[in-house]
Amino acid sequence: MAVRRVVDADVLFRKRQLRAEIARTRTSTRATLAALKHEQRRLTSWKTYVRRFPIASLGTVFGVGLWLAAMRPGRQISRSVATNLIQWGVASARSRILGDLLDVWTNFRSSGDRPGPD
């Protein structure tokens, strides 16, 4: 025995609307995630910081090298010089790096609050 269902045209129309809205939301979410992944790769790459802060990067790496050399026995290199170089390199780029992270957080957070295209 076949079961007959009575389906209202308004219900079918609303279901189609909801499915279309879900598809738009899914597409928007995928685009946002792709953009976040791109930003994450960019912000975690050491190459980004070497390009943006060449002098600070050079000072930091030089300081790390001096510090490692000072660890070897029989060396007369002062660890304080190496430590100061490392601290200078990190401090000169820190505020801009934190600003970048805050910008990414703010931009993606506000774009998530906005409704998608209708």
Side-chain angles (χ1 to χ4, degrees), residues 15-97:
K15 279 173 107 175
R16 278 189 229 113
Q17 281 182 325
L18 287 172
R19 285 187 178 134
E21 186 177 332
I22 289 169
R24 282 192 302 272
T25 302
R26 188 179 299 127
T27 302
S28 172
T29 302
R30 283 185 183 144
T32 301
L33 283 174
L36 276 172
K37 283 181 183 179
H38 174 74
E39 276 301 302
Q40 179 262 331
R41 274 189 230 108
R42 186 183 72 79
L43 290 174
T44 56
S45 172
W46 62 270
K47 295 174 186 177
T48 298
Y49 300 105
V50 170
R51 263 187 245 115
R52 288 187 66 200
F53 312 107
I55 304 294
S57 299
L58 186 62
T60 302
V61 171
F62 187 67
V64 168
L66 279 177
W67 193 81
L68 289 172
M71 297 291 286
R72 294 182 62 192
R75 299 290 179 172
Q76 297 300 320
I77 301 170
S78 171
R79 285 189 197 146
S80 65
V81 172
T83 303
N84 287 337
L85 268 173
I86 294 169
Q87 288 173 345
W88 170 82
V90 171
S92 64
R94 182 181 317 156
S95 64
R96 287 183 58 192
I97 292 169

Side-chain angles (χ1 to χ4, degrees), residues 89-108:
V90 171
S92 64
R94 182 181 317 156
S95 64
R96 287 183 58 192
I97 292 169
L98 291 176
D100 285 352
L101 292 173
L102 185 62
D103 286 344
V104 168
W105 173 259
T106 305
N107 289 338
F108 281 106

